[in-house]
Amino acid sequence: MVQVEQQLAKFGVLLLGELNAQSAQQADRLRSAAIPAWTASTDFEVHWLLQRASVSASITLVDLRRVDAYREEEIERFVLLASEAMLPVVLVGASDDEARSFGEVIAKLSAGATDDDVADVIAAMKRFRS
């Protein structure tokens, strides 16, 4: 029983991007599904969360649904953040060409996906891993 609890405790999501109302809402939605979630917007924050704070993130979430202005530059920034995290990526709202820029993409959801859709996919991953 303790081993199962430890395995479940090691599943979490690192949301990459600015901390704003949408990302806070998305983190809250994940937490309401019993999935720990943290937000990082810089390489320093990614490093600090994963190396210093030792958060138990096992995947990163990159949500591009609301990225319109300077999209190419923002995607480059997200690619660098995801590389720093060295975790598998769940992409939301990325084209096939954009998705190829990221390392290990384990799920790609369309721009029409809702926060509930994203949480459902991640919850399914959590169930699969446990």
Side-chain angles (χ1 to χ4, degrees), residues 5 16-17 22 25-28 31 38 49 51 55-56 59 61 71-72 77 83-84 89-90 94-95 114 120 123-124:
E5 289 174 359
L16 300 181
Q22 287 86 14
Q25 180 180 8
Q26 197 165 46
D28 286 344
R31 290 180 192 123
W38 302 268
L49 284 167
Q51 303 300 319
V55 301
S56 57
I59 60 173
L61 173 61
R71 186 169 177 94
E72 284 184 32
R77 188 170 73 89
S83 295
E84 177 72 23
V89 177
V90 173
S95 69
T114 66
D120 290 345

Side-chain angles (χ1 to χ4, degrees), residues 50-111:
L50 296 175
Q51 303 300 319
R52 301 287 182 218
S54 299
V55 301
S56 57
S58 51
I59 60 173
T60 56
L61 173 61
V62 177
D63 189 343
L64 300 172
R65 291 178 292 181
R66 295 171 187 90
V67 176
D68 293 322
Y70 307 105
R71 186 169 177 94
E72 284 184 32
E73 291 86 356
E74 282 296 294
I75 290 171
E76 286 177 25
R77 188 170 73 89
F78 284 128
V79 167
L80 291 173
L81 290 175
S83 295
E84 177 72 23
M86 294 186 295
L87 296 169
V89 177
V90 173
L91 275 175
V92 184
S95 69
D96 290 339
D97 287 337
E98 293 166 341
R100 282 191 277 279
S101 300
F102 289 85
E104 183 184 354
V105 176
I106 57 173
K108 184 172 146 321
L109 287 81
S110 72

